[in-house]
């Protein structure tokens, strides 16, 4: 009845179809192969998120619904000799709901061998412009309180500098107690269970990002924040990661993928310690993925964006 009486809601369903169709068109024009990877996994990998757990009766074991659209599987394809792959599919995260967050949603992820995060930023900017024009016939959008023009020069935001500018905290010289005090002063809610310095810095960033309209790319995050990204050669404490910033939030993330099996195993081990200390969003140790890296994965750029981008361009809550 809602759709019968409100044509604009019906039109939104049509626009959403155009949105994903234009994504697929762009990727295929650029020579990417569409693939499908498992939704049920025995190790939930590729993101920091709490997974849904279900039971596999035939094998009598618990399995997880995936929290990324095949990240660790598509990187195995890179190790197997494929150079450009993408997947559009559903993923699931068993965590809080908000205007920006759903538990069950569609995402695209692509992986591009012999490319790095600088190549990824140029490619993603072209992708977003293509999708916006095909779906909405414009590059200018109202997103929340921001007027966003995808056609203007995209900004580059430095993670450490942005947090310092809006919170006064130097994330390279801070302890957990100081972060907690600042979060309380800024009235930022945070989960005390499994709380650690990585989660604390992430909460500071989530406060700071609300001030950025974009379009732009966030770069130079600490290695502890991103366990699957390659370190920067000139500063190994930071990683080669970029996030698209639009309308005060992150709308897409990519990086030069970590392809050093020793470094990856160490970072998985650090994440496992955080899980054991109560951080349910920390990543699981995927031994099979490390083994794939030992055989050799080429330098690769990976990127993912969910239908949050569509919601933002529509200027609607994600649930709607």
């Amino acid at each position: 009845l809602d759709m019968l009486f409100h044509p604009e809601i019906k039109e939104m369903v049509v626009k959403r179809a155009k949105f994903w169709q234009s994504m697929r068109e762009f990727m295929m024009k650029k020579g990417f192969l569409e693939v499908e990877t498992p939704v049920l996994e025995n190790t939930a990998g590729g993101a920091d998120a709490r997974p849904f757990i279900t039971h596999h009766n035939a094998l009598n074991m618990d399995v997880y619904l995936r929290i990324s659209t095949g990240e660790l599987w598509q990187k195995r394809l890179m190790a197997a000799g494929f150079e450009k792959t993408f997947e559009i599919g559903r993923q699931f995260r068993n965590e809080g709901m908000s205007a920006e967050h759903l538990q069950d949603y569609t995402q695209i992820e692509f992986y591009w061998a012999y490319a790095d995060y600088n190549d990824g930023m140029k490619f993603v900017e072209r992708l977003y412009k293509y999708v916006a024009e095909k779906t909405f016939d414009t590059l200018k959008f109202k997103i929340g309180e921001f007027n966003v023009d995808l056609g203007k020069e995209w900004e580059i935001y430095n993670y450490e500098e942005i947090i310092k500018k809006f919170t006064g905290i130097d994330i390279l010289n801070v302890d957990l107690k100081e972060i907690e005090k600042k979060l309380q002063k800024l009235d930022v809610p945070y989960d005390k269970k499994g709380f650690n310095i990585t989660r604390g810095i992430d909460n500071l960033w989530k406060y700071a990002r609300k001030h950025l309209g974009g379009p732009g790319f966030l770069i130079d995050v600490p290695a502890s924040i991103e366990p699957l990204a390659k370190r920067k050669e000139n500063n190994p404490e930071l990683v080669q990661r970029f996030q698209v910033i639009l309308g005060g939030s992150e709308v897409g993330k990519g990086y030069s993928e970590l392809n050093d099996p020793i470094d990856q195993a160490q970072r998985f081990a650090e994440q496992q310690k955080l899980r054991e200390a109560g951080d349910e969003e920390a990543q699981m140790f995927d031994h099979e993925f490390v083994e794939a890296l030992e055989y050799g994965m080429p330098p690769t750029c990976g990127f993912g964006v969910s239908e949050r981008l569509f919601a933002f361009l529509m200027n609607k809550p994600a649930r709607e």
Side-chain angles (χ1 to χ4, degrees):
L1 287 175
D2 200 16
M3 289 179 183
L4 282 171
F5 287 113
H6 298 99
E8 68 275 11
I9 296 176
K10 200 174 203 175
E11 180 59 25
M12 189 156 60
V13 175
V14 175
K15 273 196 166 78
R16 185 181 177 280
K18 284 181 183 174
F19 174 84
W20 287 115
Q21 185 181 334
S22 60
M23 282 270 187
R24 182 174 277 110
E25 269 174 19
F26 186 86
M27 299 309 296
M28 295 182 90
K29 279 180 181 177
K30 300 299 180 184
F32 283 75
L33 177 72
E34 186 168 10
V35 297
E36 289 187 347
T37 62
V39 171
L40 294 177
E41 303 180 307
N42 56 6
T43 303
D48 294 349
R50 184 185 293 124
F52 284 94
I53 303 171
T54 187
H55 191 72
H56 192 306
N57 289 334
L59 295 175
N60 191 27
M61 64 185 283
D62 285 344
V63 291
Y64 304 97
L65 273 67
R66 67 182 181 183
I67 56 175
S68 73
T69 309
E71 170 156 353
L72 302 187
W73 298 102
Q74 288 197 63
K75 288 198 270 193
R76 284 168 169 82
L77 290 174
M78 298 294 108
F82 290 87
E83 292 189 10
K84 289 180 171 183
T85 64
F86 77 97
E87 179 173 9
I88 297 173
R90 302 297 277 186
Q91 65 183 46
F92 312 87
R93 297 190 177 183
N94 195 4
E95 43 194 41
M97 298 176 78
S98 75
E100 295 182 24
H101 295 90
L102 299 172
Q103 282 68 53
D104 169 5
Y105 57 93
T106 300
Q107 171 141 323
I108 182 172
E109 292 196 24
F110 73 73
Y111 293 84
W112 178 13
Y114 308 106
D116 68 6
Y117 79 128
N118 289 307
D119 301 311
M121 283 189 270
K122 292 173 195 163
F123 185 85
V124 165
E125 185 177 337
R126 291 199 296 272
L127 169 66
Y128 279 38
K129 288 175 179 175
Y130 181 88
V131 169
E133 287 187 317
K134 285 281 185 176
T135 309
F136 300 96
D137 296 317
T138 183
L139 292 176
K140 294 183 178 178
F141 297 89
K142 173 79 172 169
I143 303 175
E145 301 300 313
F146 299 98
N147 291 307
V148 178
D149 182 359
L150 297 179
K152 74 172 197 177
E153 186 176 348
W154 288 35
E155 304 275 346
I156 298 293
Y157 303 114
N158 176 279
Y159 188 79
E160 178 194 348
E161 289 171 8
I162 291 294
I163 291 176
K164 195 168 189 177
K165 178 179 177 180
F166 292 107
T167 72
I169 295 288
D170 178 358
I171 61 169
L172 301 180
N173 298 289
V174 68
D175 59 28
L176 193 56
K177 192 176 280 185
E178 192 179 344
I179 288 175
E180 284 206 82
K181 196 182 290 182
K182 177 58 73 170
L183 289 173
Q184 287 161 8
K185 188 177 179 184
L186 296 171
D187 200 24
V188 176
Y190 62 93
D191 190 351
K192 291 185 170 62
K193 185 182 177 187
F195 189 72
N196 53 53
I197 198 155
T198 302
R199 290 278 159 260
I201 291 171
D202 188 49
N203 277 286
L204 289 173
W205 155 246
K206 284 172 178 170
Y207 170 83
R209 74 184 179 187
K210 292 176 185 173
H211 300 84
L212 306 175
F217 293 110
L218 176 74
I219 61 168
D220 290 348
V221 304
S224 60
I225 301 275
E226 193 53 77
L228 294 165
K230 186 177 282 191
R231 295 177 191 270
K232 295 190 78 171
E233 288 180 15
N234 61 349
N235 186 350
E237 296 301 306
L238 304 177
V239 290
Q240 299 177 37
R241 186 185 94 171
F242 66 98
Q243 281 183 288
V244 179
I245 304 300
L246 289 179
S249 192
E250 305 143 3
V251 194
K253 180 172 79 168
Y255 34 81
S256 303
E257 303 291 343
L258 179 57
N259 61 344
D260 176 344
I262 297 169
D263 191 359
Q264 184 64 86
Q266 287 171 346
R267 287 203 242 172
F268 273 152
E270 287 163 12
Q271 289 285 303
Q272 191 64 40
K273 283 180 192 169
L274 294 177
R275 281 190 75 79
E276 288 163 6
D279 184 351
E280 294 180 6
E281 293 186 12
Q283 297 196 24
M284 300 178 188
F285 199 126
D286 190 327
H287 295 276
E288 289 180 9
F289 176 63
V290 172
E291 185 183 1
L293 293 185
E294 288 170 350
Y295 283 101
M297 184 181 89
T300 298
C301 175
F303 179 80
V305 61
S306 76
E307 58 192 322
R308 178 192 291 186
L309 173 59
F310 178 69
F312 270 50
L313 298 180
M314 286 294 303
N315 201 23
K316 300 273 190 184
R319 184 165 181 264
E320 192 169 331

